[in-house]
């Protein structure tokens, strides 16, 4: 097994206070963590800049003995250079298998930053460990779900060992020296309705469910990202904002702003979740501003009136600050959920030019003035209109405040994410919603969502992948008048003592359980019917998610470091491989 040394360059201050600061962001800090590898495999330093530097970054990396001898690894001094147009580089340290069982040896890694574009002034010194516990009988774990539901996210007992015996099967080749985006997480939208029905469980059953969803035990799926609505979504029992007023009244100073509508269900449940996973990332998205800010005096459709752009920006500021006062950090917001779908209840129509105007002249400056570091992520709608986020990002002032663009896939192709990435490679991509219908089938949804929502988004640069509502009741509610009546949650709450896990639970679990926040996508090749995506975790493990989208069982190899295992998946099955 290969375990990886991860070097990460962290920019201090991801948002500039004004547009002219783009080229003057804080210099990156270089860090390197202690790490462990197995004898006979390479230790790989993956060096990452979270955005291209304006000058090349040069690092001298030296490997010297500690308790190990020079017979245990390839000693040397190497210069690693990251050109200004790139964000990653790698450096391999080969370890040598001497045929002896020596338990462990350690060596020292010293990284000296030669460039002047970093804040490091002294070399970084860490320890690498080579573990050698003799022969290995099992090297790769496999967690499997079959389309006929005979196996549901179960760890398999078959022994998978890397070797070099030739066969005629095609190979998925893993290349950890080629890296792409880092991962923020996998999860769901915790709608107000989801919180309401989860809170109907008795305390014992509720804690068991929350531990399974958000915990890190063997039977947990470790959800690492949640999206919530700012005010009501269409999967709330009622429609509301945080500043509802009688018709004809306004509140320009937001004196009547209140989180009270969410204090019964959503906020208390979020606090319980944070006790289980304090680092979970939370995104907020509004379905509609307060009605008094809109030009049609309705929760459905209409547009935000320009005279309220400034006060609406402060509405976001208050939301973030008041959630923080409740102990809930909002990592990111989108200015509007599905801005080109004004027919939902609630909803709002917002054009690309309106969104650019709102961000550059109001929301971005309001965040800077309030010292808010919450990310601004634009668009949050279907893949059939990549021109929308490109138009917003083409405004250089608006772009300065924006972290990236978010997508759904009710229309278009998932490759639209790469189209936006190619147009603005310095901005991130996110995938924030896809529902499963109460008329869908387990096998059909498992295949389509794994192929598109998990594998497709990741292979097209997304930093997260979210399914829609986390939970509902047996009648697919609650929902607002005019809201979605067919949205099927990951969990169905049947009674105070019973819940059922549905297909989207397994869709997300095949990634969230094994690919934690901070993982990095690495290269893997796809071929007909075997869709896949590979990751390197912060703990140095490699994770490969594979879907057999064909109609027959298929055998194949997984190749890593010139060795391979041979495995197979039934038609429609998904496997997550970890080593």
């Amino acid at each position: 097994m290969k375990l990886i040394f991860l070097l990460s360059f962290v920019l201090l201050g991801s948002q500039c206070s004004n547009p002219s600061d783009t080229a003057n962001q804080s210099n990156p800090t270089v860090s390197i963590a202690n790490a462990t590898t197995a004898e006979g495999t390479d230790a790989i330093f993956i060096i990452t800049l979270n955005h291209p530097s304006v000058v090349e970054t040069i690092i001298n990396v030296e490997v010297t003995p500690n308790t190990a001898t020079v017979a245990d690894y390839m000693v040397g001094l190497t210069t690693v250079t990251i050109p200004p147009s790139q964000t990653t580089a790698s450096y391999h340290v080969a370890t040598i298998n001497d045929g002896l069982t020596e338990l462990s040896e350690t060596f020292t890694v010293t990284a000296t930053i030669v460039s002047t574009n970093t804040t490091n002034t002294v070399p970084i010194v860490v320890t690498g460990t080579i573990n050698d516990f003799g022969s290995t009988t099992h090297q790769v774990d496999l967690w499997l779900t079959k389309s006929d539901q005979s196996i549901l996210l179960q760890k398999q007992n078959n022994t998978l060992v890397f070797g070099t015996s030739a066969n005629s099967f095609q190979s998925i080749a893993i290349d950890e020296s080629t890296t792409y985006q880092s991962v923020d997480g996998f999860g769901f939208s915790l709608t107000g309705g989801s919180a309401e029905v989860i809170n109907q469980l008795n305390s014992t059953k509720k804690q068991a469910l929350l531990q399974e969803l958000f915990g890190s035990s063997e039977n947990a799926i470790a959800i690492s990202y949640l999206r919530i609505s700012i005010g009501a979504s269409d999967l709330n029992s009622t429609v509301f904002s945080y500043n509802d007023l009688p018709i004809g009244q306004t509140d320009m100073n937001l004196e009547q702003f209140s989180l009270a509508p969410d204090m019964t269900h959503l906020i208390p449940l979020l606090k319980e979740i944070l006790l289980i996973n304090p680092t979970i990332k939370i995104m907020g998205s509004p379905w509609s501003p307060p009605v008094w800010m809109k030009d049609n005096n309705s929760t459905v459709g209409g547009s935000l009136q320009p005279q309220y752009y400034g006060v609406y920006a402060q509405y976001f500021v208050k939301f973030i600050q008041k959630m923080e006062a409740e102990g809930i950090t909002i990592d990111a917001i989108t200015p509007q959920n599905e801005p080109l779908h004004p027919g939902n209840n609630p909803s709002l129509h917002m054009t690309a030019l309106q969104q650019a105007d709102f961000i550059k002249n109001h929301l971005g400056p309001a965040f800077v003035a309030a010292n808010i570091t919450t990310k601004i992520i634009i668009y949050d709608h279907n893949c059939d209109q990549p021109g929308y986020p490109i138009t917003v990002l083409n405004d250089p002032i608006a772009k300065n405040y924006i972290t990236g663009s978010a997508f759904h896939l009710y229309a278009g192709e998932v490759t639209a994410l790469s189209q936006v990435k190619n147009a603005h490679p310095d901005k991130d991509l996110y995938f924030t919603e896809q529902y499963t219908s109460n008329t869908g089938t387990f096998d059909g949804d498992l295949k389509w969502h794994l192929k598109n929502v998990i594998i497709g988004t990741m292979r097209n640069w997304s930093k997260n992948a979210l399914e829609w509502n986390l939970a509902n009741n047996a009648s697919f509610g609650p929902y607002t008048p005019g809201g979605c009546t067919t949205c099927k949650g990951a969990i169905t709450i049947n009674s105070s003592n019973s819940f059922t896990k549905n297909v989207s639970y397994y869709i997300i679990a095949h990634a969230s359980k094994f690919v934690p926040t901070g993982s990095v996508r690495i290269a893997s090749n796809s071929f007909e019917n075997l869709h896949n995506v590979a990751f390197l975790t912060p703990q140095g493990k490699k994770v490969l998610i594979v879907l057999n989208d064909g109609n027959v069982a298929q055998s194949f190899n997984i190749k890593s470091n010139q060795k391979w295992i041979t495995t197979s998946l039934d038609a429609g099955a998904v496997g997550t491989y970890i080593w």
Side-chain angles (χ1 to χ4, degrees):
M1 147 178 161
K2 279 187 187 175
L3 286 147
I4 312 287
F5 297 99
L6 178 64
L7 275 71
S8 61
F9 292 66
V10 180
L11 278 176
L12 303 178
S14 61
Q15 296 186 11
C16 300
S17 59
N18 63 67
S20 63
D21 288 343
T22 302
N24 299 314
Q25 295 179 355
S26 300
N27 289 334
T29 298
V30 183
S31 63
I32 176 172
N34 295 321
T36 304
T37 190
E39 186 177 73
T41 64
D42 289 0
I44 303 171
F45 296 87
I46 296 178
I47 305 169
T48 304
L49 300 176
N50 65 354
H51 73 86
S53 175
V54 295
V55 297
E56 66 182 12
T57 302
I58 303 172
I59 305 169
N60 286 341
V61 180
E62 185 174 10
V63 184
T64 55
N66 197 336
T67 63
T69 69
V70 292
D72 293 314
Y73 63 92
M74 299 300 292
V75 66
L77 172 65
T78 300
T79 297
V80 178
T81 301
I82 305 179
S85 61
Q86 298 181 16
T87 58
T88 61
S90 65
Y91 170 55
H92 290 238
V93 177
T95 67
I96 301 167
N97 191 340
D98 57 11
L100 302 175
T101 300
E102 298 169 309
L103 297 182
S104 67
E105 304 85 37
T106 59
F107 58 90
T108 300
V109 177
T110 303
T112 304
I113 316 305
V114 180
S115 307
T116 59
N117 66 316
T118 67
T119 59
N120 296 70
T121 57
V122 297
I124 303 167
V125 180
V126 297
T127 300
T129 302
I130 306 170
N131 279 334
D132 175 13
F133 300 111
S135 61
T136 301
T137 58
H138 177 75
Q139 294 178 327
V140 181
D141 290 333
L142 166 60
W143 289 73
L144 181 67
T145 296
K146 289 189 174 183
S147 62
D148 64 2
Q149 303 182 63
S150 60
I151 295 177
L152 294 171
L153 194 66
Q154 291 181 9
K155 188 176 182 180
Q156 302 304 289
N157 295 322
N158 51 319
T159 300
L160 295 173
V161 179
F162 283 102
T164 57
S165 299
N167 61 57
S168 60
F169 300 129
Q170 291 180 292
S171 294
I172 298 173
I174 310 302
D175 179 9
E176 56 265 48
S177 68
T178 301
T179 61
Y180 302 92
Q181 78 276 19
S182 62
V183 174
D184 277 1
F186 299 90
F188 299 88
S189 285
L190 181 65
T191 62
S194 296
E196 181 178 335
V197 296
I198 290 173
N199 284 333
Q200 291 170 3
L201 291 168
N202 64 51
S203 59
T204 301
K205 203 69 174 177
K206 178 181 171 182
Q207 279 304 308
L209 175 60
L210 295 182
Q211 288 290 342
E212 180 173 346
L213 293 174
F214 302 101
S216 56
S217 65
E218 179 74 6
N219 69 336
I221 65 170
I223 292 170
S224 51
Y225 206 113
L226 288 174
R227 180 175 178 238
I228 63 173
S229 59
I230 301 175
S233 74
D234 61 309
L235 293 189
N236 274 78
S237 296
T238 59
V239 179
F240 62 85
S241 77
Y242 298 133
N243 198 274
D244 290 328
L245 303 173
I247 295 175
Q249 292 187 17
T250 61
D251 182 13
M252 299 300 287
N253 294 322
L254 299 178
E255 294 174 353
Q256 298 183 59
F257 183 99
S258 174
L259 296 178
D262 275 329
M263 292 300 291
T264 302
H265 293 296
L266 179 66
I267 290 174
L269 186 62
L270 279 173
K271 291 180 179 180
E272 291 185 71
I273 292 168
L274 286 166
L275 290 175
I276 299 170
N277 180 2
T279 64
I280 194 167
K281 291 186 181 295
I282 301 172
M283 172 187 285
S285 301
W287 267 238
S288 174
V291 165
W292 56 269
M293 298 184 188
K294 301 172 72 174
D295 62 6
N296 68 344
N297 200 37
S298 171
T299 58
V300 180
S303 297
L304 180 65
Q305 297 185 73
Q307 65 264 35
Y308 296 119
Y309 278 18
V311 68
Y312 194 41
Q314 292 302 318
Y315 182 92
F316 282 88
V317 170
K318 278 188 173 289
F319 166 72
I320 293 166
Q321 291 175 335
K322 288 186 177 293
M323 291 294 275
E324 187 68 39
E326 296 292 333
I328 300 167
T329 298
I330 303 300
D331 181 73
I333 58 93
T334 65
Q336 176 58 38
N337 169 71
E338 298 189 346
L340 300 179
H341 176 37
N344 206 350
N345 186 19
S347 60
L348 177 81
H349 184 258
M350 178 180 279
T351 68
L353 293 178
Q354 288 171 336
Q355 191 159 116
D357 181 18
F358 176 59
I359 292 169
K360 74 176 180 180
N361 292 315
H362 303 281
L363 186 63
F367 276 21
V368 171
N371 197 30
I372 286 174
T373 58
T374 299
K375 303 177 183 72
I376 297 174
I377 299 171
I378 61 171
Y379 188 44
D380 206 7
H381 207 171
N382 288 330
C383 289
D384 62 339
Q385 298 290 335
Y388 188 117
I390 291 173
T391 296
V392 178
L393 291 170
N394 283 345
D395 185 315
I397 300 176
K399 181 178 180 177
N400 183 58
Y401 299 111
I402 294 167
T403 298
S405 307
F407 290 86
H408 307 171
L409 192 52
Y410 303 114
E413 299 293 334
V414 72
T415 52
L417 277 68
S418 285
Q419 184 177 340
V420 176
K421 184 70 172 180
N422 291 336
H424 291 277
D426 56 335
K427 296 300 177 181
D428 293 328
L429 281 301
Y430 298 82
F431 190 87
T432 50
E433 180 186 319
Q434 196 69 27
Y435 94 128
T436 50
S437 172
N438 62 4
T439 62
T441 62
F442 187 96
D443 60 340
D445 285 339
L446 183 72
K447 288 197 298 183
W448 191 93
H449 285 251
L450 257 297
K451 178 180 176 181
N452 291 283
V453 175
I454 303 298
I455 296 169
T457 64
M458 291 292 116
R459 293 189 76 95
N460 284 278
W461 293 97
S462 186
K463 291 177 69 67
N464 70 349
L466 309 181
E467 290 277 291
W468 181 209
N469 54 317
L470 178 59
N472 55 16
N473 60 31
S475 300
F476 306 101
Y479 43 79
T480 65
C484 180
T485 62
T486 61
C487 292
K488 184 177 185 178
I491 304 293
T492 298
I493 306 299
N494 303 307
S495 69
S496 63
N497 195 43
S498 171
F499 61 83
T500 303
K501 292 179 283 191
N502 302 318
V503 64
S504 62
Y505 171 97
Y506 299 101
I507 292 164
I508 290 297
H510 266 280
S512 62
K513 184 176 179 67
F514 312 104
V515 186
T517 300
S519 299
V520 178
R521 181 168 73 91
I522 57 179
S524 64
N525 62 300
S526 288
F527 42 87
E528 186 178 6
N529 295 332
L530 286 179
H531 303 277
N532 66 83
V533 63
F535 303 92
L536 177 68
T537 74
Q539 295 74 33
K541 290 186 176 292
K542 288 179 279 294
V543 179
L544 177 69
I545 304 171
V546 186
L547 166 70
N548 180 0
D549 193 33
N551 297 319
V552 297
Q554 190 161 349
S555 296
F556 58 96
N557 300 317
I558 299 173
K559 187 175 182 180
S560 181
N561 294 325
Q562 304 306 311
K563 295 183 178 181
W564 52 88
I565 62 166
T566 302
T567 184
S568 65
L569 289 174
D570 288 350
V574 55
T576 299
Y577 298 83
I578 310 101
W579 69 97

